[in-house]
């Protein structure tokens, strides 16, 4: 197998309060965050994984959560400096930090840029007060607008704004108004996705009233047209970017690249070409367990069986609205095209997939019925 690009995911588990729709590994802040202690654990976690790097430099870093913007610029200066000393950065590395508008202080983004962060992802979700309240967000419309302006002023290479649709009691007009207002803030990248009710969340135990399917369809169709009108190209299911501003870290996920995962509950995926194996890792989830010096950071790991690799590869690659290269399938799974010929032929016969010679392209129908397409490779 060929070694793909290597990324790093860093998880910061704390947030001010848990949102009712959130199923991520996040924990409401109780007292002061143990910033220095956690950084030392992150670095120790990374050192334990260094044998998996295989001489590669980091292509991208994504710091997610939780709310990573609760940590200071000085903390990230220290953390990123030591990571670069341990692994090394590609010259054009993309380093993204997730931020909550409710935690953004004046000039804070500039401190993050000084630390080496060159991309910010701002969790806006909505600009309407009643929708923000329903979602349990701690910020208001003006804080979201302030965060966008701070991002423009900070000298970042790019920034993203996260926006949800299909919110409780949301009309088509409400959703499109939200979308237009965020477009007007001119982010180079926009993540626009439908609210879903996930298990083990507050919304799962007390479900809100969500829009009917007909309304959801109209929101999706009209919203995509609005984004295209303003120069945002859809390159994956919920990712829209102006030319040249696609998220490189997320693309590495979707193209079946490798990534180390450090921090509470972080996942990793690493190719081991000498043994023709693909290793997946999960770190200890709860902060108390993760920072327990008597235990390993690793919660579990397993090798991806060859029979599971087609589904795992296409589960990622078929999210994209760009062609999926046949050679990448062979290089990154260690399998041959003959291993998947029957499933590919079925997908083409069902008009879910097009064969473009050296690549496959998911059709409009294929994106609409993506689960049906993926089931062919199980």
């Amino acid at each position: 197998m060929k070694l793909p690009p290597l990324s790093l995911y860093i998880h910061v588990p704390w947030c001010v309060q848990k949102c009712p729709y959130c199923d991520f590994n996040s924990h409401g802040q109780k007292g002061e965050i143990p910033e220095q202690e956690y950084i030392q654990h992150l670095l120790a976690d990374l050192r334990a994984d260094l044998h998996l790097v295989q001489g590669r430099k980091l292509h991208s870093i994504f710091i997610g959560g939780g709310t990573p913007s609760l940590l200071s610029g000085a903390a990230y200066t220290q953390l990123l400096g030591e990571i670069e000393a341990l692994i090394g950065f590609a010259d054009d590395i993309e380093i993204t930090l997730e931020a909550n508008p409710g935690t953004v202080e004046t000039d804070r983004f500039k401190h993050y840029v000084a630390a080496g962060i060159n991309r910010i992802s701002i969790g806006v979700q909505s600009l309407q007060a009643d929708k923000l309240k329903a979602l349990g967000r701690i910020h208001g419309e003006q804080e979201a607008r302030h965060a966008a302006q701070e991002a423009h002023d900070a000298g970042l290479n790019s920034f993203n704004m996260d926006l949800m649709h299909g919110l409780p009691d949301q009309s088509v007009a409400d959703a499109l108004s939200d979308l237009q207002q965020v477009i007007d803030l001119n982010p180079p990248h926009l993540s626009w996705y439908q609210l879903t009710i996930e298990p083990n969340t507050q919304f799962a135990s007390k479900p809100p009233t969500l829009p009917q399917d007909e309304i959801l369809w109209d929101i999706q169709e009209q919203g995509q047209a609005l984004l295209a009108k303003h120069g945002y190209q859809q390159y994956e299911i919920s990712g829209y970017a102006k030319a040249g501003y696609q998220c490189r870290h997320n693309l590495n996920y979707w193209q079946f690249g490798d990534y180390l995962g450090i921090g509470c509950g972080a996942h990793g995926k690493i190719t081991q070409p000498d043994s023709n194996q693909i290793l997946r890792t999960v770190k200890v989830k709860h902060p108390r367990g993760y920072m327990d010096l008597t235990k390993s950071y690793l919660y579990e790991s397993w090798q991806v069986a060859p029979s599971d690799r087609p589904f795992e590869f296409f589960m990622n690659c078929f999210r994209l609205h760009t062609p999926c290269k046949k050679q990448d399938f062979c290089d990154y799974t260690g399998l041959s095209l003959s291993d998947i010929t029957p499933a590919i032929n079925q997908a083409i016969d069902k008009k879910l997939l097009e064969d473009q010679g050296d690549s496959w392209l998911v059709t409009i129908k294929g994106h609409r019925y993506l689960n049906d397409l993926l089931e062919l490779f199980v």
Side-chain angles (χ1 to χ4, degrees), residues 135 180 192 216 249 266 276 303 352:
L135 293 172
Q180 183 63 64
W192 188 60
L216 293 173
H249 186 88
N276 200 36
Q303 299 288 352
L352 303 174

Side-chain angles (χ1 to χ4, degrees), residues 219-231:
I219 290 172
Q220 185 75 29
E221 195 171 50
Q222 294 180 44
Q224 287 180 334
L226 184 61
L227 285 159
K229 174 184 174 182
H230 289 276

Side-chain angles (χ1 to χ4, degrees), residues 76-147:
Y76 287 117
T77 297
Q78 177 188 354
L79 178 63
L80 293 173
E82 296 203 35
I83 291 172
E84 185 173 18
L86 288 169
I87 300 182
F89 292 172
D91 291 340
D92 60 346
I93 188 171
E94 174 193 89
I95 305 178
T96 302
L97 176 87
E98 286 187 335
N100 184 326
T103 66
V104 174
E105 301 169 359
T106 302
D107 293 333
R108 190 155 198 172
F109 285 174
K110 292 180 180 178
H111 295 300
Y112 293 146
V113 171
I117 291 159
N118 53 28
R119 188 175 180 274
I120 295 284
S121 181
I122 305 169
V124 175
Q125 315 313 357
S126 177
L127 290 175
Q128 298 173 352
D130 61 326
K131 300 299 184 284
L132 290 170
K133 182 178 180 180
L135 293 172
R137 304 297 288 175
I138 64 170
H139 69 272
E141 174 194 350
Q142 290 307 313
E143 288 170 303
R145 295 181 183 280
H146 168 72

Side-chain angles (χ1 to χ4, degrees), residues 147-295:
Q149 189 59 53
E150 286 288 314
H152 279 298
D153 294 344
L156 294 157
N157 290 348
S158 181
F159 73 94
N160 167 67
M161 299 190 82
D162 266 3
L163 184 68
M164 285 184 175
H165 61 86
L167 304 181
D169 301 311
Q170 188 176 48
S171 66
V172 176
D174 281 344
L176 295 179
S177 173
D178 249 0
L179 183 57
Q180 183 63 64
Q181 290 181 72
V182 170
I183 288 171
D184 291 342
L185 296 175
N186 198 29
H189 188 286
L190 212 160
S191 296
W192 188 60
Y193 51 94
Q194 183 180 324
L195 170 66
T196 55
I197 305 301
E198 301 293 347
N200 302 315
T201 63
Q202 292 181 44
F203 274 178
S205 59
K206 296 182 179 179
T209 302
L210 299 182
Q212 296 180 344
D213 288 345
E214 295 82 359
I215 293 175
L216 293 173
W217 178 254
D218 287 344
I219 290 172
Q220 185 75 29
E221 195 171 50
Q222 294 180 44
Q224 287 180 334
L226 184 61
L227 285 159
K229 174 184 174 182
H230 289 276
Y232 289 92
Q233 178 184 4
Q234 184 179 19
Y235 68 97
E236 64 100 14
I237 288 177
S238 60
Y240 301 80
K242 294 189 174 180
Y245 289 101
Q246 296 175 339
C247 177
R248 294 180 61 212
H249 186 88
N250 285 346
L251 278 174
N252 198 38
Y253 287 152
W254 310 143
Q255 293 168 344
F256 211 53
D258 278 357
Y259 50 96
L260 298 170
I262 62 172
C264 298
H267 289 239
K269 175 253 173 186
I270 295 291
T271 302
Q272 301 171 299
D274 294 343
S275 59
N276 200 36
Q277 297 287 337
I278 297 172
L279 177 71
R280 289 200 176 271
T281 62
V282 182
K283 301 301 172 63
V284 173
K285 188 173 182 179
H286 198 279
R288 284 197 300 271
Y290 181 81
M291 292 191 288
D292 184 343
L293 291 173
T294 67
K295 298 179 181 178

Side-chain angles (χ1 to χ4, degrees), residues 303-363:
Q303 299 288 352
V304 180
S307 59
D308 293 333
R309 293 178 195 176
F311 176 78
E312 291 209 10
F313 179 87
F314 290 123
M315 179 180 63
N316 290 280
C317 196
F318 283 168
R319 288 180 61 103
L320 296 173
H321 286 244
T322 52
C324 178
K325 295 179 182 178
K326 295 179 180 179
Q327 191 59 50
D328 283 352
F329 173 82
C330 298
D331 287 345
Y332 297 154
T333 66
L335 303 175
S336 67
L337 295 180
S338 63
D339 292 319
I340 55 169
T341 297
I344 290 291
N345 288 341
Q346 285 187 64
I348 293 170
D349 290 344
K350 293 175 182 290
K351 309 296 184 186
L352 303 174
L353 202 63
E354 291 179 3
D355 190 319
Q356 297 193 328
D358 63 351
S359 62
W360 303 287
L361 183 67
V362 180
T363 64

Side-chain angles (χ1 to χ4, degrees), residues 14-33:
W14 297 283
C15 53
V16 174
Q17 66 182 27
K18 184 84 169 179
C19 295
Y21 60 85
C22 179
D23 68 335
F24 294 157
N25 182 29
S26 59
H27 302 265
Q29 181 182 356
K30 296 178 181 177
E32 189 174 349
I33 291 174

